[in-house]
Tab-separated table of all heavy atoms in Angstrom:
chain	number	residue	atom	x	y	z
A	10	MET	N	8.603	-3.730	-5.118
A	10	MET	CA	8.799	-4.274	-3.801
A	10	MET	C	8.272	-5.697	-3.801
A	10	MET	O	7.297	-6.002	-4.471
A	10	MET	CB	8.158	-3.387	-2.742
A	10	MET	CG	6.653	-3.394	-2.648
A	10	MET	SD	5.917	-2.347	-1.341
A	10	MET	CE	6.764	-0.822	-1.496
A	11	ASN	N	8.954	-6.548	-3.053
A	11	ASN	CA	8.521	-7.939	-2.978
A	11	ASN	C	7.462	-8.103	-1.891
A	11	ASN	O	7.067	-7.139	-1.238
A	11	ASN	CB	9.718	-8.867	-2.752
A	11	ASN	CG	10.405	-8.620	-1.432
A	11	ASN	OD1	9.797	-8.183	-0.449
A	11	ASN	ND2	11.687	-8.905	-1.385
A	12	GLU	N	7.027	-9.331	-1.694
A	12	GLU	CA	5.924	-9.552	-0.760
A	12	GLU	C	6.281	-9.204	0.688
A	12	GLU	O	5.424	-8.737	1.445
A	12	GLU	CB	5.376	-10.963	-0.883
A	12	GLU	CG	6.414	-12.029	-0.675
A	12	GLU	CD	6.046	-13.344	-1.304
A	12	GLU	OE1	6.411	-13.548	-2.472
A	12	GLU	OE2	5.411	-14.156	-0.627
A	13	GLN	N	7.540	-9.389	1.078
A	13	GLN	CA	7.943	-9.018	2.439
A	13	GLN	C	7.956	-7.498	2.617
A	13	GLN	O	7.543	-6.966	3.649
A	13	GLN	CB	9.329	-9.604	2.784
A	13	GLN	CG	9.349	-11.098	2.944
A	13	GLN	CD	9.459	-11.832	1.608
A	13	GLN	OE1	9.920	-11.283	0.621
A	13	GLN	NE2	9.020	-13.072	1.581
A	14	GLN	N	8.433	-6.796	1.610
A	14	GLN	CA	8.442	-5.334	1.661
A	14	GLN	C	7.020	-4.791	1.626
A	14	GLN	O	6.707	-3.813	2.308
A	14	GLN	CB	9.264	-4.776	0.496
A	14	GLN	CG	10.734	-5.111	0.609
A	14	GLN	CD	11.491	-4.877	-0.681
A	14	GLN	OE1	10.987	-5.169	-1.771
A	14	GLN	NE2	12.696	-4.356	-0.558
A	15	ALA	N	6.162	-5.419	0.837
A	15	ALA	CA	4.759	-5.005	0.780
A	15	ALA	C	4.098	-5.190	2.136
A	15	ALA	O	3.304	-4.348	2.572
A	15	ALA	CB	4.012	-5.794	-0.297
A	16	GLU	N	4.439	-6.270	2.827
A	16	GLU	CA	3.873	-6.514	4.152
A	16	GLU	C	4.321	-5.431	5.136
A	16	GLU	O	3.521	-4.939	5.937
A	16	GLU	CB	4.285	-7.893	4.648
A	16	GLU	CG	3.624	-8.293	5.929
A	16	GLU	CD	3.885	-9.742	6.294
A	16	GLU	OE1	4.852	-10.343	5.780
A	16	GLU	OE2	3.099	-10.269	7.091
A	17	ALA	N	5.589	-5.030	5.053
A	17	ALA	CA	6.087	-3.968	5.923
A	17	ALA	C	5.388	-2.643	5.612
A	17	ALA	O	5.016	-1.895	6.523
A	17	ALA	CB	7.599	-3.830	5.763
A	18	ALA	N	5.208	-2.350	4.334
A	18	ALA	CA	4.520	-1.114	3.937
A	18	ALA	C	3.065	-1.140	4.383
A	18	ALA	O	2.526	-0.123	4.839
A	18	ALA	CB	4.619	-0.922	2.430
A	19	LEU	N	2.441	-2.291	4.270
A	19	LEU	CA	1.044	-2.433	4.667
A	19	LEU	C	0.861	-2.142	6.156
A	19	LEU	O	-0.156	-1.572	6.565
A	19	LEU	CB	0.561	-3.840	4.323
A	19	LEU	CG	-0.914	-4.113	4.352
A	19	LEU	CD1	-1.677	-3.175	3.418
A	19	LEU	CD2	-1.189	-5.554	3.964
A	20	ALA	N	1.839	-2.485	6.948
A	20	ALA	CA	1.764	-2.232	8.389
A	20	ALA	C	1.754	-0.738	8.709
A	20	ALA	O	1.303	-0.326	9.783
A	20	ALA	CB	2.930	-2.914	9.091
A	21	GLU	N	2.223	0.083	7.785
A	21	GLU	CA	2.261	1.529	7.994
A	21	GLU	C	0.958	2.223	7.605
A	21	GLU	O	0.761	3.398	7.915
A	21	GLU	CB	3.422	2.132	7.212
A	21	GLU	CG	4.769	1.652	7.713
A	21	GLU	CD	5.922	2.308	7.000
A	21	GLU	OE1	5.766	3.467	6.564
A	21	GLU	OE2	6.975	1.672	6.876
A	22	VAL	N	0.076	1.524	6.924
A	22	VAL	CA	-1.161	2.126	6.415
A	22	VAL	C	-2.025	2.742	7.525
A	22	VAL	O	-2.496	3.869	7.361
A	22	VAL	CB	-1.946	1.128	5.541
A	22	VAL	CG1	-3.351	1.621	5.246
A	22	VAL	CG2	-1.188	0.872	4.248
A	23	PRO	N	-2.271	2.056	8.644
A	23	PRO	CA	-3.130	2.672	9.667
A	23	PRO	C	-2.611	4.035	10.158
A	23	PRO	O	-3.397	4.978	10.311
A	23	PRO	CB	-3.134	1.638	10.800
A	23	PRO	CG	-2.880	0.340	10.115
A	23	PRO	CD	-1.912	0.675	9.009
A	24	GLY	N	-1.318	4.144	10.374
A	24	GLY	CA	-0.756	5.422	10.801
A	24	GLY	C	-0.878	6.494	9.734
A	24	GLY	O	-1.160	7.653	10.029
A	25	LEU	N	-0.679	6.099	8.488
A	25	LEU	CA	-0.823	7.050	7.389
A	25	LEU	C	-2.270	7.482	7.224
A	25	LEU	O	-2.550	8.639	6.917
A	25	LEU	CB	-0.308	6.431	6.085
A	25	LEU	CG	1.186	6.186	6.011
A	25	LEU	CD1	1.533	5.373	4.775
A	25	LEU	CD2	1.937	7.512	6.008
A	26	ARG	N	-3.183	6.547	7.441
A	26	ARG	CA	-4.614	6.865	7.305
A	26	ARG	C	-5.016	7.966	8.276
A	26	ARG	O	-5.840	8.820	7.951
A	26	ARG	CB	-5.438	5.608	7.535
A	26	ARG	CG	-6.794	5.675	6.910
A	26	ARG	CD	-7.451	4.305	6.892
A	26	ARG	NE	-8.467	4.167	5.876
A	26	ARG	CZ	-9.580	4.875	5.827
A	26	ARG	NH1	-9.826	5.782	6.719
A	26	ARG	NH2	-10.458	4.688	4.860
A	27	GLU	N	-4.444	7.943	9.473
A	27	GLU	CA	-4.743	8.979	10.469
A	27	GLU	C	-4.288	10.359	10.014
A	27	GLU	O	-4.811	11.370	10.467
A	27	GLU	CB	-4.076	8.635	11.799
A	27	GLU	CG	-4.665	7.425	12.484
A	27	GLU	CD	-3.928	7.060	13.758
A	27	GLU	OE1	-3.081	7.847	14.217
A	27	GLU	OE2	-4.218	5.982	14.299
A	28	GLN	N	-3.302	10.406	9.131
A	28	GLN	CA	-2.772	11.683	8.655
A	28	GLN	C	-3.503	12.213	7.428
A	28	GLN	O	-3.260	13.350	7.001
A	28	GLN	CB	-1.284	11.535	8.338
A	28	GLN	CG	-0.451	11.201	9.553
A	28	GLN	CD	0.998	10.987	9.203
A	28	GLN	OE1	1.528	11.615	8.291
A	28	GLN	NE2	1.644	10.090	9.919
A	29	CYS	N	-4.378	11.415	6.844
A	29	CYS	CA	-5.138	11.865	5.672
A	29	CYS	C	-6.067	13.010	6.070
A	29	CYS	O	-6.711	12.960	7.114
A	29	CYS	CB	-5.960	10.719	5.091
A	29	CYS	SG	-4.965	9.423	4.348
A	30	THR	N	-6.127	14.002	5.219
A	30	THR	CA	-6.936	15.182	5.531
A	30	THR	C	-8.267	15.219	4.789
A	30	THR	O	-9.105	16.058	5.093
A	30	THR	CB	-6.153	16.471	5.209
A	30	THR	OG1	-5.784	16.470	3.828
A	30	THR	CG2	-4.913	16.585	6.076
A	31	ASP	N	-8.443	14.333	3.811
A	31	ASP	CA	-9.722	14.308	3.102
A	31	ASP	C	-10.004	12.914	2.559
A	31	ASP	O	-9.165	12.019	2.618
A	31	ASP	CB	-9.777	15.351	1.984
A	31	ASP	CG	-8.745	15.141	0.890
A	31	ASP	OD1	-8.446	13.981	0.547
A	31	ASP	OD2	-8.238	16.144	0.367
A	32	GLU	N	-11.198	12.742	2.033
A	32	GLU	CA	-11.639	11.436	1.555
A	32	GLU	C	-10.840	10.956	0.346
A	32	GLU	O	-10.616	9.756	0.177
A	32	GLU	CB	-13.137	11.476	1.236
A	32	GLU	CG	-13.735	10.119	0.957
A	32	GLU	CD	-13.495	9.096	2.067
A	32	GLU	OE1	-13.589	9.463	3.254
A	32	GLU	OE2	-13.199	7.926	1.747
A	33	ARG	N	-10.400	11.872	-0.495
A	33	ARG	CA	-9.591	11.494	-1.662
A	33	ARG	C	-8.298	10.816	-1.240
A	33	ARG	O	-7.884	9.817	-1.826
A	33	ARG	CB	-9.255	12.725	-2.507
A	33	ARG	CG	-10.212	12.987	-3.615
A	33	ARG	CD	-9.785	14.128	-4.510
A	33	ARG	NE	-8.393	14.008	-4.929
A	33	ARG	CZ	-7.602	15.026	-5.197
A	33	ARG	NH1	-8.033	16.259	-5.085
A	33	ARG	NH2	-6.372	14.841	-5.584
A	34	GLN	N	-7.652	11.370	-0.232
A	34	GLN	CA	-6.411	10.783	0.266
A	34	GLN	C	-6.670	9.412	0.870
A	34	GLN	O	-5.915	8.464	0.639
A	34	GLN	CB	-5.753	11.699	1.298
A	34	GLN	CG	-5.190	12.961	0.709
A	34	GLN	CD	-4.615	13.874	1.769
A	34	GLN	OE1	-4.876	13.721	2.963
A	34	GLN	NE2	-3.825	14.839	1.343
A	35	ARG	N	-7.736	9.292	1.641
A	35	ARG	CA	-8.072	7.997	2.241
A	35	ARG	C	-8.391	6.966	1.162
A	35	ARG	O	-7.972	5.805	1.261
A	35	ARG	CB	-9.241	8.142	3.213
A	35	ARG	CG	-8.823	8.743	4.547
A	35	ARG	CD	-9.957	8.756	5.551
A	35	ARG	NE	-10.972	9.748	5.251
A	35	ARG	CZ	-10.889	11.045	5.558
A	35	ARG	NH1	-9.830	11.500	6.202
A	35	ARG	NH2	-11.847	11.875	5.239
A	36	ALA	N	-9.096	7.369	0.117
A	36	ALA	CA	-9.431	6.452	-0.971
A	36	ALA	C	-8.168	5.985	-1.691
A	36	ALA	O	-8.037	4.791	-2.013
A	36	ALA	CB	-10.395	7.122	-1.946
A	37	ALA	N	-7.246	6.895	-1.941
A	37	ALA	CA	-5.987	6.525	-2.602
A	37	ALA	C	-5.190	5.567	-1.724
A	37	ALA	O	-4.619	4.586	-2.216
A	37	ALA	CB	-5.173	7.774	-2.916
A	38	LEU	N	-5.154	5.833	-0.439
A	38	LEU	CA	-4.443	4.958	0.486
A	38	LEU	C	-5.104	3.582	0.566
A	38	LEU	O	-4.421	2.555	0.602
A	38	LEU	CB	-4.359	5.606	1.871
A	38	LEU	CG	-3.484	4.891	2.885
A	38	LEU	CD1	-2.047	4.764	2.403
A	38	LEU	CD2	-3.540	5.621	4.212
A	39	ASP	N	-6.418	3.551	0.552
A	39	ASP	CA	-7.137	2.278	0.561
A	39	ASP	C	-6.841	1.470	-0.709
A	39	ASP	O	-6.677	0.247	-0.653
A	39	ASP	CB	-8.642	2.501	0.701
A	39	ASP	CG	-9.037	3.005	2.076
A	39	ASP	OD1	-8.223	2.910	3.028
A	39	ASP	OD2	-10.174	3.508	2.206
A	40	ASP	N	-6.756	2.159	-1.849
A	40	ASP	CA	-6.405	1.481	-3.103
A	40	ASP	C	-4.998	0.898	-3.021
A	40	ASP	O	-4.758	-0.244	-3.424
A	40	ASP	CB	-6.493	2.441	-4.289
A	40	ASP	CG	-7.910	2.821	-4.659
A	40	ASP	OD1	-8.858	2.143	-4.194
A	40	ASP	OD2	-8.074	3.806	-5.402
A	41	LEU	N	-4.068	1.675	-2.495
A	41	LEU	CA	-2.702	1.197	-2.337
A	41	LEU	C	-2.661	0.001	-1.391
A	41	LEU	O	-1.988	-0.997	-1.665
A	41	LEU	CB	-1.796	2.315	-1.815
A	41	LEU	CG	-0.360	1.896	-1.493
A	41	LEU	CD1	0.356	1.359	-2.723
A	41	LEU	CD2	0.394	3.074	-0.886
A	42	ALA	N	-3.390	0.075	-0.295
A	42	ALA	CA	-3.424	-1.024	0.671
A	42	ALA	C	-3.951	-2.303	0.012
A	42	ALA	O	-3.446	-3.390	0.286
A	42	ALA	CB	-4.276	-0.641	1.874
A	43	ALA	N	-4.932	-2.178	-0.857
A	43	ALA	CA	-5.476	-3.350	-1.547
A	43	ALA	C	-4.420	-3.990	-2.451
A	43	ALA	O	-4.296	-5.219	-2.496
A	43	ALA	CB	-6.717	-2.970	-2.359
A	44	VAL	N	-3.655	-3.166	-3.147
A	44	VAL	CA	-2.589	-3.680	-4.014
A	44	VAL	C	-1.505	-4.351	-3.167
A	44	VAL	O	-1.027	-5.443	-3.490
A	44	VAL	CB	-1.991	-2.551	-4.879
A	44	VAL	CG1	-0.735	-3.012	-5.603
A	44	VAL	CG2	-3.020	-2.041	-5.866
A	45	LEU	N	-1.129	-3.710	-2.071
A	45	LEU	CA	-0.117	-4.290	-1.186
A	45	LEU	C	-0.593	-5.614	-0.604
A	45	LEU	O	0.167	-6.584	-0.536
A	45	LEU	CB	0.229	-3.310	-0.065
A	45	LEU	CG	0.949	-2.034	-0.481
A	45	LEU	CD1	1.052	-1.085	0.699
A	45	LEU	CD2	2.316	-2.336	-1.063
A	46	GLN	N	-1.853	-5.679	-0.201
A	46	GLN	CA	-2.401	-6.917	0.364
A	46	GLN	C	-2.398	-8.036	-0.668
A	46	GLN	O	-2.070	-9.179	-0.346
A	46	GLN	CB	-3.817	-6.685	0.897
A	46	GLN	CG	-4.368	-7.863	1.656
A	46	GLN	CD	-3.575	-8.162	2.915
A	46	GLN	OE1	-3.463	-7.321	3.789
A	46	GLN	NE2	-3.018	-9.357	3.009
A	47	GLU	N	-2.733	-7.710	-1.895
A	47	GLU	CA	-2.706	-8.705	-2.970
A	47	GLU	C	-1.287	-9.240	-3.162
A	47	GLU	O	-1.083	-10.442	-3.352
A	47	GLU	CB	-3.233	-8.101	-4.272
A	47	GLU	CG	-3.371	-9.085	-5.387
A	47	GLU	CD	-4.462	-10.114	-5.166
A	47	GLU	OE1	-5.426	-9.843	-4.436
A	47	GLU	OE2	-4.344	-11.227	-5.737
A	48	CYS	N	-0.307	-8.371	-3.098
A	48	CYS	CA	1.087	-8.780	-3.216
A	48	CYS	C	1.476	-9.693	-2.054
A	48	CYS	O	2.104	-10.736	-2.251
A	48	CYS	CB	1.997	-7.551	-3.258
A	48	CYS	SG	3.759	-7.945	-3.454
A	49	VAL	N	1.096	-9.311	-0.842
A	49	VAL	CA	1.397	-10.127	0.347
A	49	VAL	C	0.782	-11.512	0.210
A	49	VAL	O	1.402	-12.520	0.582
A	49	VAL	CB	0.896	-9.415	1.628
A	49	VAL	CG1	0.935	-10.342	2.826
A	49	VAL	CG2	1.706	-8.159	1.897
A	50	ASN	N	-0.409	-11.597	-0.331
A	50	ASN	CA	-1.140	-12.858	-0.429
A	50	ASN	C	-0.697	-13.742	-1.593
A	50	ASN	O	-1.130	-14.890	-1.687
A	50	ASN	CB	-2.635	-12.597	-0.563
A	50	ASN	CG	-3.233	-12.002	0.684
A	50	ASN	OD1	-2.673	-12.096	1.767
A	50	ASN	ND2	-4.367	-11.357	0.530
A	51	THR	N	0.140	-13.210	-2.490
A	51	THR	CA	0.533	-13.951	-3.690
A	51	THR	C	2.033	-14.206	-3.666
A	51	THR	O	2.835	-13.295	-3.898
A	51	THR	CB	0.161	-13.151	-4.960
A	51	THR	OG1	-1.230	-12.800	-4.890
A	51	THR	CG2	0.418	-13.964	-6.211
A	52	ALA	N	2.410	-15.429	-3.347
A	52	ALA	CA	3.831	-15.794	-3.253
A	52	ALA	C	4.569	-15.483	-4.556
A	52	ALA	O	4.061	-15.735	-5.647
A	52	ALA	CB	3.963	-17.274	-2.925
A	53	GLY	N	5.740	-14.889	-4.420
A	53	GLY	CA	6.564	-14.573	-5.566
A	53	GLY	C	6.170	-13.339	-6.337
A	53	GLY	O	6.711	-13.059	-7.402
A	54	SER	N	5.233	-12.568	-5.804
A	54	SER	CA	4.759	-11.386	-6.532
A	54	SER	C	5.552	-10.137	-6.146
A	54	SER	O	6.270	-10.103	-5.158
A	54	SER	CB	3.273	-11.156	-6.276
A	54	SER	OG	3.058	-10.869	-4.915
A	55	TYR	N	5.414	-9.118	-6.976
A	55	TYR	CA	6.067	-7.833	-6.769
A	55	TYR	C	5.092	-6.713	-7.080
A	55	TYR	O	4.183	-6.872	-7.885
A	55	TYR	CB	7.277	-7.670	-7.706
A	55	TYR	CG	8.441	-8.538	-7.335
A	55	TYR	CD1	8.514	-9.858	-7.776
A	55	TYR	CD2	9.461	-8.061	-6.536
A	55	TYR	CE1	9.573	-10.674	-7.436
A	55	TYR	CE2	10.534	-8.864	-6.195
A	55	TYR	CZ	10.590	-10.164	-6.640
A	55	TYR	OH	11.645	-10.956	-6.303
A	56	VAL	N	5.301	-5.572	-6.445
A	56	VAL	CA	4.616	-4.332	-6.795
A	56	VAL	C	5.684	-3.405	-7.355
A	56	VAL	O	6.723	-3.184	-6.718
A	56	VAL	CB	3.937	-3.682	-5.558
A	56	VAL	CG1	3.347	-2.334	-5.915
A	56	VAL	CG2	2.876	-4.597	-4.988
A	57	TRP	N	5.427	-2.897	-8.535
A	57	TRP	CA	6.364	-1.979	-9.185
A	57	TRP	C	5.726	-0.604	-9.299
A	57	TRP	O	4.570	-0.482	-9.710
A	57	TRP	CB	6.714	-2.475	-10.602
A	57	TRP	CG	7.515	-3.726	-10.602
A	57	TRP	CD1	7.059	-5.004	-10.446
A	57	TRP	CD2	8.914	-3.832	-10.749
A	57	TRP	NE1	8.082	-5.887	-10.502
A	57	TRP	CE2	9.247	-5.208	-10.677
A	57	TRP	CE3	9.931	-2.907	-10.935
A	57	TRP	CZ2	10.553	-5.657	-10.799
A	57	TRP	CZ3	11.228	-3.374	-11.057
A	57	TRP	CH2	11.519	-4.726	-10.973
A	58	PHE	N	6.493	0.424	-8.940
A	58	PHE	CA	6.052	1.803	-9.106
A	58	PHE	C	6.924	2.427	-10.192
A	58	PHE	O	8.146	2.304	-10.146
A	58	PHE	CB	6.229	2.589	-7.800
A	58	PHE	CG	5.385	2.075	-6.672
A	58	PHE	CD1	5.902	1.132	-5.788
A	58	PHE	CD2	4.087	2.498	-6.515
A	58	PHE	CE1	5.120	0.646	-4.745
A	58	PHE	CE2	3.295	2.006	-5.483
A	58	PHE	CZ	3.825	1.078	-4.599
A	59	THR	N	6.296	3.066	-11.155
A	59	THR	CA	7.033	3.724	-12.217
A	59	THR	C	6.649	5.184	-12.289
A	59	THR	O	5.530	5.558	-11.937
A	59	THR	CB	6.772	3.063	-13.584
A	59	THR	OG1	5.372	3.096	-13.854
A	59	THR	CG2	7.235	1.617	-13.602
A	60	GLY	N	7.571	6.006	-12.707
A	60	GLY	CA	7.311	7.442	-12.847
A	60	GLY	C	7.765	8.213	-11.632
A	60	GLY	O	8.431	7.700	-10.744
A	61	ASP	N	7.403	9.462	-11.625
A	61	ASP	CA	7.822	10.366	-10.546
A	61	ASP	C	6.899	10.271	-9.364
A	61	ASP	O	5.762	10.118	-9.421
A	61	ASP	CB	7.831	11.799	-11.035
A	61	ASP	CG	8.885	11.993	-12.124
A	61	ASP	OD1	9.741	11.131	-12.279
A	61	ASP	OD2	8.819	13.026	-12.808
């Protein structure tokens, strides 16, 4: 995803955080949010997801 898509995904994090049922899920979401924020802050960057 490019920086614009990362910004859109980042906007969904607060709602997703409310749905987390344990600390592990919140920690994983926080890690993802950090990666998305880095992408948003870096012009021309992308986040790639590989695997299932």
